[in-house]
Amino acid sequence: MTVDGRPMVLLSEQEYEALVSSRRQLGSQVARLAKVREALLDVVELAESLGTALLDRRNQAVTGEGTADDIGADGAVVLLGETHRRLDRARRAAGMRKSTTDLTPER
């Protein structure tokens, strides 16, 4: 239908309500997807940091540089401690349950 030279679409009241409901659902899914994306990027950053720290530690061991205590100095221990927090955040964003293999010590 054309009104004042502009094309218009006519909807029944039920069709309009269904359209509004679909738009609300889409909005909530977009917000959830943004959280999942942010959590995924966080986990990727963590994995890259862990990989770099572990490679650095391996290279130190291969070349005979450093001591066994150096693993704390290069940040690997800090990164490993951060792992469960970030993975838990990613699980929540993805709607998953907490891992049954969580190695975090109980307090």
Side-chain angles (χ1 to χ4, degrees), residues 84 99-106:
H84 286 290
S99 172
T100 57
T101 59
D102 189 356
L103 302 175
T104 306
E106 293 185 22

Side-chain angles (χ1 to χ4, degrees), residues 37-52:
R37 183 180 186 277
E38 185 179 319
L40 178 60
L41 292 174
D42 196 34
V43 170
V44 167
E45 179 184 300
L46 174 66
E48 288 173 345
S49 298
L50 280 170
T52 299

Side-chain angles (χ1 to χ4, degrees), residues 7-8 11-12 38 44 56 59 61 64 66 82 89 96 101-102:
M8 298 280 182
L11 300 174
S12 69
E38 185 179 319
V44 167
D56 288 348
N59 291 340
E82 186 73 6
R89 179 175 173 241
M96 298 170 62
T101 59
D102 189 356

Side-chain angles (χ1 to χ4, degrees), residues 57-75:
R57 179 65 185 128
R58 187 205 64 181
N59 291 340
Q60 286 178 354
V62 168
T63 61
E65 297 174 13
T67 66
D69 292 334
D70 286 342
I71 194 161
D74 69 10

Side-chain angles (χ1 to χ4, degrees), residues 14-91:
Q14 288 108 352
E15 289 172 326
Y16 178 77
E17 291 300 324
L19 179 63
V20 169
S21 176
S22 294
R23 288 187 69 196
R24 273 189 232 113
Q25 289 174 0
L26 180 61
S28 67
Q29 291 299 320
V30 167
R32 183 168 181 253
L33 182 58
K35 286 183 180 182
V36 170
R37 183 180 186 277
E38 185 179 319
L40 178 60
L41 292 174
D42 196 34
V43 170
V44 167
E45 179 184 300
L46 174 66
E48 288 173 345
S49 298
L50 280 170
T52 299
L54 293 172
L55 279 173
D56 288 348
R57 179 65 185 128
R58 187 205 64 181
N59 291 340
Q60 286 178 354
V62 168
T63 61
E65 297 174 13
T67 66
D69 292 334
D70 286 342
I71 194 161
D74 69 10
V77 171
V78 173
L79 289 170
L80 289 170
E82 186 73 6
T83 301
H84 286 290
R85 185 189 70 77
R86 291 190 188 194
L87 290 175
D88 187 49
R89 179 175 173 241
R91 280 188 206 96

